[in-house]
């Protein structure tokens, strides 16, 4: 059942059943009266001069035009009788706790996209102020959207501060011990670290350590990543799989010194490097390799990671994982759709052969299903082609039947 509501002269049709209720109000699914396929969200807030000024500021900034990933208000109106209406884009997806299981490279891609969005917000003078799993949406293809900007912070002195401090599980130590309850950029960086920890591990940092609020406060206020204190279950991701650079960043993210916590740009650069150095061992464990990597974090087997040259990066498209394989002269690499992480085991295991030979790669089709290669914007059926490994920095796009991927040299 729907009803018509006008928000600042814009007619929308609103579902009478709310999508949910939060501390600042309730939200409803809506769409433009003249564009029924355009999904929107209508949010009803309790009216106050502060709430109206903050909402109007967000609408003037029009963050949705900065990035479609920002589901921030675009239209608002004070209806009187204690109610402010906000109209904002609808964000597809679910929160991280309801998302489908994903591989480590996919989760690192989600982390990278999220911190890039937080950095973009900061470049536009906005700090989200309420980073929490319920305010980040992940679409089936891995795209990330950010919702609920009611607790935003800004350096603009004319904007009233938020009247909330964020969700308790995400609070920084200085907020938990009440030495600095008011939200700051630095407390937001702590919440950023908590969320980034949840994406690859699949759980809240104190899960298995503490349940009572006082015990959770204790473990979240030790000044280091609580994952160090957990006894991992057999199915848990080994934290060593994240690589030492990311582990060190997590320790700093949970620091008791607010100024020591890494910002989004530092996270972004570390995640880019981690994705470049992501490998999949024969046992199936994905991990981030670095100079100290001698064994697989999953099975403990000895591994040798080639340095500087002799690498080939393979990324499944459009949003699949990226992983590396070692190039050995005259040793062919056979790719099939059931030999790559995350793909079905019911399809071909022999589809493409890559033969390194004296600095070049012979890429040829094998098997029964067609292979396509993109050249100059057009797709051609592949038989075989020689590629110069040194000039493979530009991705080579291929289709193995219905699966698209890119090849990028690690040289």
């Amino acid at each position: 059942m729907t009803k018509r509501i006008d928000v600042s002269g814009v007619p929308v049709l609103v579902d009478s059943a709310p999508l949910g209720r939060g501390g600042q109000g309730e939200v409803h699914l809506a769409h433009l009266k003249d564009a029924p396929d355009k999904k929107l969200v209508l949010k009803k807030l309790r009216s106050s001069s502060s709430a109206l000024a903050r909402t109007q500021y967000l609408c003037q900034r029009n963050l949705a035009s900065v990035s479609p990933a920002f589901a921030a208000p675009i239209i608002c109106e004070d209806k009187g009788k204690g109610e402010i209406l906000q109209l904002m884009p609808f964000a597809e997806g679910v929160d991280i706790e309801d998302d489908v299981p994903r591989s480590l490279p996919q989760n690192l891609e989600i982390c990278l996209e999220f911190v890039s969005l937080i950095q973009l917000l900061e470049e536009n003078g906005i700090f989200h102020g309420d980073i929490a799993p319920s305010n980040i949406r992940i679409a089936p293809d891995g795209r990330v959207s950010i919702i609920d900007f009611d607790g935003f912070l800004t350096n603009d002195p004319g904007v009233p501060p938020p009247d909330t401090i964020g969700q308790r599980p995400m609070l920084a130590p200085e907020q938990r011990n009440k030495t600095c309850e008011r939200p700051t950029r630095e407390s937001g960086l702590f919440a950023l670290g908590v969320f980034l920890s949840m994406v690859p591990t699949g759980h809240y940092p104190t899960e298995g350590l503490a349940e009572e609020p006082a015990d959770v406060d204790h473990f979240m206020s030790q000044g280091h990543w609580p994952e160090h204190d957990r006894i991992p279950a057999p199915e848990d991701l080994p934290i060593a799989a994240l690589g030492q650079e990311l582990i060190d960043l997590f320790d700093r993210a949970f620091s008791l010194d607010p100024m020591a916590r890494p910002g989004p740009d530092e996270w972004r650069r570390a995640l880019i490097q981690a994705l470049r150095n992501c490998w999949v061992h024969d046992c199936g464990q994905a991990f981030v390799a670095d100079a100290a990597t001698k064994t697989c974090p999953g099975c403990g087997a000895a591994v040798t990671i080639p340095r500087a040259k002799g690498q080939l990066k393979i990324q499944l498209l459009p949003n699949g994982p990226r992983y590396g394989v070692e190039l050995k002269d005259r040793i062919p690499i056979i790719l099939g759709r059931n030999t790559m992480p995350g793909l079905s085991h019911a399809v071909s295991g022999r589809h493409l052969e890559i033969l390194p030979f004296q600095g070049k790669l012979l890429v040829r089709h094998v098997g029964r299903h067609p292979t396509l290669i993109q050249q100059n914007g057009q797709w051609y059926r592949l038989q075989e082609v020689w590629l110069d490994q040194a000039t493979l920095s530009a991705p080579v796009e291929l289709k193995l039947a219905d699966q698209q991927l890119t090849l990028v040299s690690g040289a």
Side-chain angles (χ1 to χ4, degrees):
M1 182 176 177
T2 61
K3 61 180 179 179
R4 172 175 165 159
I5 294 179
D6 287 0
V7 184
S8 291
V10 177
V12 294
L13 298 178
V14 181
D15 288 349
S16 57
L19 283 174
R21 290 180 172 86
Q24 292 79 46
E26 66 178 30
V27 295
H28 296 258
L29 185 63
H31 58 265
L32 295 174
K33 180 177 179 296
D34 299 328
D37 293 335
K38 179 69 173 178
K39 285 185 179 181
L40 299 169
V41 168
L42 179 79
K43 188 166 189 176
K44 299 179 180 180
L45 297 176
R46 292 186 297 273
S47 180
S48 69
S49 59
S50 172
L52 181 61
R54 289 172 57 80
T55 301
Q56 289 174 335
Y57 179 84
L58 277 181
C59 291
Q60 291 167 1
R61 298 305 303 270
N62 192 12
L63 294 175
S65 69
V66 175
S67 169
F70 297 143
I74 51 179
I75 299 173
C76 64
E77 182 181 357
D78 186 357
K79 287 292 189 179
K81 299 181 181 180
E83 185 176 77
I84 298 172
L85 297 184
Q86 296 179 348
L87 201 60
M88 62 200 74
F90 177 79
E92 298 282 354
V94 297
D95 67 38
I96 187 65
E97 294 169 327
D98 294 323
D99 193 26
V100 298
R102 298 180 187 270
S103 67
L104 176 61
Q106 288 173 312
N107 284 326
L108 294 179
E109 291 276 8
I110 288 172
C111 289
L112 175 58
E113 185 173 348
F114 178 63
V115 297
S116 298
L117 291 174
I118 295 299
Q119 183 176 4
L120 182 58
L121 273 181
E122 290 200 355
E123 290 170 355
N124 282 270
I126 299 287
F127 311 107
H128 187 272
D130 193 12
I131 293 174
S134 60
N135 292 333
I136 296 102
R137 315 300 285 173
I138 302 174
D141 63 2
R143 286 179 298 110
V144 178
S145 300
I146 301 178
I147 66 174
D148 197 351
F149 287 77
D150 294 337
F152 79 93
L153 306 171
T154 178
N155 293 326
D156 189 328
V159 179
D163 57 7
T164 59
I165 65 170
Q167 300 181 30
R168 182 167 183 80
M170 314 301 284
L171 295 185
E174 62 270 22
Q175 294 174 297
R176 294 172 186 269
N177 64 23
K178 302 185 185 305
T179 58
C180 183
E181 286 190 272
R182 184 173 177 175
T184 63
R185 176 180 183 263
E186 288 71 33
S187 65
L189 295 180
F190 185 93
L192 174 64
V194 175
F195 178 76
L196 293 177
S197 173
M198 294 176 67
V199 176
T201 65
H203 57 252
Y204 184 71
T206 65
E207 183 178 306
L209 280 171
E211 295 183 2
E212 296 299 323
D215 295 331
V216 172
D217 287 348
H218 169 76
F219 282 105
M220 295 293 277
S221 303
Q222 292 298 293
H224 61 255
W225 192 23
E227 286 294 321
H228 294 301
D229 302 318
R230 294 180 72 253
I231 298 176
E235 66 275 10
D236 286 349
L237 174 80
I239 62 172
L242 293 172
Q244 194 60 47
E245 183 177 13
L246 288 180
I247 292 173
D248 291 344
L249 280 187
F250 277 118
D251 280 327
R252 287 176 48 207
F254 284 81
S255 173
L256 299 181
D257 178 3
M259 303 308 295
R261 296 166 191 159
D265 186 53
E266 192 170 356
W267 278 112
R268 183 186 62 82
R269 287 183 278 110
L271 286 162
I272 289 173
Q273 187 64 33
L275 282 161
R276 287 174 178 166
N277 293 331
C278 203
W279 297 80
V280 180
H281 188 244
D282 292 342
C283 72
Q285 176 68 60
F287 63 94
V288 178
D290 56 32
T293 302
K294 303 299 181 185
T295 60
C296 169
C299 67
V303 294
T304 301
I305 305 298
R307 306 299 174 196
K309 62 180 181 179
Q311 303 177 20
L312 185 69
K313 294 294 184 180
I314 301 169
Q315 181 170 17
L316 305 183
L317 299 178
N319 294 292
R322 174 181 290 190
Y323 60 95
V325 293
E326 183 178 357
L327 294 176
K328 297 180 180 178
D329 216 37
R330 297 180 175 85
I331 304 297
I333 300 166
I334 304 294
L335 295 181
R337 286 174 293 157
N338 70 5
T339 65
M340 291 180 283
L343 298 183
S344 170
H345 293 288
V347 292
S348 173
R350 181 177 172 81
H351 208 118
L352 188 73
E353 182 182 273
I354 302 172
L355 180 67
F357 183 76
Q358 297 183 356
K360 294 185 179 294
L361 301 175
L362 175 60
V363 180
R364 69 185 190 93
H365 167 72
V366 293
R368 294 178 299 169
H369 302 284
T371 299
L372 303 181
I373 185 169
Q374 190 177 77
Q375 295 178 329
N376 299 321
Q378 297 291 323
W379 289 101
Y380 297 92
R381 190 157 182 162
L382 174 69
Q383 296 301 325
E384 66 178 41
V385 63
W386 282 96
L387 301 174
D388 190 337
Q389 185 180 337
T391 60
L392 203 60
S393 55
V396 176
E397 297 197 11
L398 299 164
K399 283 184 181 178
L400 312 187
D402 59 348
Q403 177 60 56
Q404 190 169 344
L405 57 83
T406 63
L407 303 179
V408 182
S409 174

